[in-house]
Amino acid sequence: MKTATKAIASLASLAMLTSLAACGNTPGSASSNGNATAWGISDANFAPAKESFELWNKNHSDQQISTEYFANDALKEKMRTAIGSGNAPTFVYSWGGASLKDYADSGAIVDLTDELADTVNDRVFESVAQGGYIGDKLYATPLLGAQPVVLYFNKSVLNDAGVSEAPQTWTELLDAVAKIKASGKTPIALAGGSKWPYLMWAAYLVDRIGGPEVFQGVMDGKADAWSDPAVSQAMEMIQDLVKAGAFGDIYTSLTSDDRKDTSMLVNGTVGMELMGSWVYPDLQSLSTDFAANDLGFAPFPAVEGGKGDINDLTGNLANYWSVSAKANAKQRETAIAYLKDQTYTDAMVDKMLDIGAVPPVKDIEQKVKDADTKVGFYTWVYEAMSSAPAFQLSWDQAIPAAQAEAVLNNLEQVFLLTQTPDQFVDAMNATLK
């Protein structure tokens, strides 16, 4: 699924920015004086972490952290290469999920349980904190905001179609689709050309039908985990939507990067869109009038008779810092001291709210309300995160790369109606063998 860094305009080019601390050593290499190294992302979303490094360096002349910044995809590739070559920076950046497990299983990162578990558990929502755990050991501390997937809607389009409120159940969603289509509008925007937006529909449906334990079986590598009845039922329901014309005729040619799907919601061409909270700044920038008056948002609908809770979420839990096992003792000491001191400080939380990110931090309700917009989106997201019984990491980040590619390709075939639900199940089970 789309990472939050793609949702906020880039502040720098692909080139590395200059180091914050002139340590004189290459990030990833050993340092005789114990200065730590970190690689981050060169966009606005990373600004709170960047400022925290600057503040740390100002106040800790004997424990400096040298930083370099890269574009999102460039950082992913560079980090994988550095981990594989044993030349990672002191701070290892990830989105949790399968990559974090790989790093832990291979011994590339260190166990942080004794030093940082109390800090993380005390400050962060449990569902997000758990994203840094492998089994009962903490290998990563979260940073930046969480981005759950939200059902957005255009109030005017729904009202004109005779839909008085956001659908709360699957039956109500199908009814809304029929009414919006009858009004001459496309019911739901979908950037199928990017593939990953398909995941949001699949993830929520599997959860609402079978509960979070269904996909947990997939992540655990359980034999034939995809054979759970919730999976095939979810694929059937997706195809029911497609056959009902829910996504219109051009969804396979739309891509998320050009924001045409979101623009359609804003200009009233479509009634609804399922998308991450990272798109909210785009909705505001496209039309402040729409964002203030016609924008609505709601949880993904419940499925009648399903085991999942309507308060369950899927999306991006957070980004995470780990500490490289290749770092020397002094570098580790610096990194752990920084993480203990700077994980979601008041200053970082304030900066996150300034740029439109919602921190997954306990007991900051008033701060969120004070920073909120007229429509109360930040408060809604914060409360959704704080009350979520389960928060499932996006499928393409939660499972190994080969399986993630397979699920994207097979889901595309489901949406194109060229693969049956049973064929999807068989194809995905094959990736577990």
Side-chain angles (χ1 to χ4, degrees):
M1 189 177 292
K2 184 108 166 181
T3 57
T5 53
K6 294 181 181 177
I8 303 176
S10 176
L11 297 182
S13 66
L14 292 176
M16 295 182 288
L17 298 182
T18 57
S19 170
L20 289 175
C23 300
N25 37 278
T26 303
S29 64
S31 171
S32 59
N33 60 12
N35 289 335
T37 54
W39 296 341
I41 293 179
S42 56
D43 71 2
N45 191 54
F46 200 79
K50 181 179 179 181
E51 288 192 5
S52 75
F53 282 132
E54 292 172 341
L55 179 63
W56 176 269
N57 284 339
K58 181 179 179 180
N59 295 327
H60 297 82
S61 58
D62 59 336
Q63 289 184 307
Q64 294 286 286
I65 301 172
S66 171
T67 61
E68 292 184 83
Y69 299 98
F70 307 85
N72 179 67
D73 291 342
L75 176 61
K76 287 182 179 180
E77 182 60 32
K78 186 174 180 65
M79 188 64 72
R80 282 194 293 265
T81 301
I83 290 287
S85 66
N87 195 37
T90 313
F91 289 82
V92 175
Y93 189 83
S94 78
W95 283 259
S99 61
L100 180 65
K101 187 176 187 303
D102 286 345
Y103 296 162
D105 289 348
S106 67
I109 54 179
V110 300
D111 179 0
L112 301 172
T113 310
D114 291 343
E115 296 89 349
L116 292 166
D118 288 344
T119 298
V120 172
N121 296 339
D122 288 347
R123 297 181 187 176
V124 183
F125 291 148
E126 181 180 359
S127 57
V128 177
Q130 284 300 312
Y133 279 83
I134 303 299
D136 60 355
K137 294 182 178 181
L138 181 71
Y139 280 95
T141 66
L143 74 150
L144 306 183
Q147 300 97 24
V149 172
V150 179
L151 181 64
Y152 298 96
F153 56 95
N154 186 311
K155 295 178 183 178
S156 293
V157 173
L158 266 62
N159 288 335
D160 291 346
V163 181
S164 59
E165 60 183 5
Q168 297 296 305
T169 67
W170 188 254
T171 298
E172 291 178 3
L173 179 68
L174 292 175
D175 181 65
V177 164
K179 289 179 178 178
I180 296 170
K181 184 180 179 184
S183 74
K185 302 291 181 69
T186 298
I188 303 170
L190 179 64
S194 296
K195 292 188 182 180
W196 61 260
Y198 294 144
L199 289 168
M200 297 181 286
W201 287 93
Y204 265 132
L205 279 170
V206 169
D207 173 88
R208 295 295 189 262
I209 297 165
E213 58 268 27
V214 176
F215 193 70
Q216 185 63 48
V218 172
M219 292 194 296
D220 292 343
K222 179 182 175 183
D224 297 329
W226 293 96
S227 294
D228 190 287
V231 177
S232 58
Q233 185 179 342
M235 298 306 117
E236 290 174 7
M237 293 168 73
I238 286 171
Q239 294 193 329
D240 287 343
L241 272 184
V242 175
K243 293 172 184 176
F247 307 115
D249 299 324
I250 63 170
Y251 69 94
T252 58
S253 63
L254 294 176
T255 60
S256 184
D257 285 344
D258 58 19
R259 286 290 178 269
K260 287 184 179 178
D261 53 335
T262 302
S263 297
M264 292 167 69
L265 183 72
V266 172
N267 64 30
T269 306
V270 303
M272 297 176 280
E273 182 178 23
L274 187 65
M275 185 53 63
S277 62
W278 58 77
V279 83
Y280 182 70
D282 292 322
L283 295 170
Q284 288 184 303
S285 64
L286 287 168
S287 173
T288 55
D289 181 66
F290 168 78
N293 299 299
D294 280 331
L295 173 64
F297 38 86
F300 190 86
V303 172
E304 295 88 339
K307 298 177 182 178
D309 193 311
I310 194 172
N311 295 310
D312 287 351
L313 297 173
T314 188
N316 295 330
L317 299 175
N319 302 102
Y320 292 87
W321 285 130
S322 298
V323 177
S324 172
K326 296 294 184 181
N328 64 41
K330 289 184 178 179
Q331 290 172 322
R332 292 190 196 182
E333 182 180 343
T334 295
I336 290 170
Y338 166 87
L339 293 172
K340 187 172 292 187
D341 183 70
Q342 292 292 310
T343 296
Y344 293 119
T345 61
D346 288 344
M348 180 176 281
V349 166
D350 290 343
K351 182 63 177 180
M352 291 170 64
L353 291 169
D354 285 345
I355 65 171
V358 181
V361 178
K362 297 176 182 177
D363 304 323
I364 60 167
E365 292 88 350
Q366 192 57 52
K367 276 195 173 189
V368 174
K369 289 179 181 178
D370 291 344
D372 216 339
T373 60
K374 175 182 175 182
V375 296
F377 182 75
Y378 300 155
T379 299
W380 186 88
V381 169
Y382 183 82
E383 291 177 350
M385 290 191 300
S386 64
S387 63
F391 193 158
Q392 172 60 62
L393 179 63
S394 305
W395 282 10
D396 59 342
Q397 296 180 41
I399 57 179
Q403 291 182 41
E405 182 178 2
V407 78
L408 287 171
N409 291 335
N410 286 293
L411 265 181
E412 181 180 39
Q413 298 308 307
V414 169
F415 275 84
L416 292 174
L417 305 179
T418 57
Q419 187 180 83
T420 68
D422 287 343
Q423 288 172 331
F424 173 85
V425 168
D426 290 343
M428 292 311 303
N429 275 333
T431 67
L432 299 176
K433 299 175 181 178

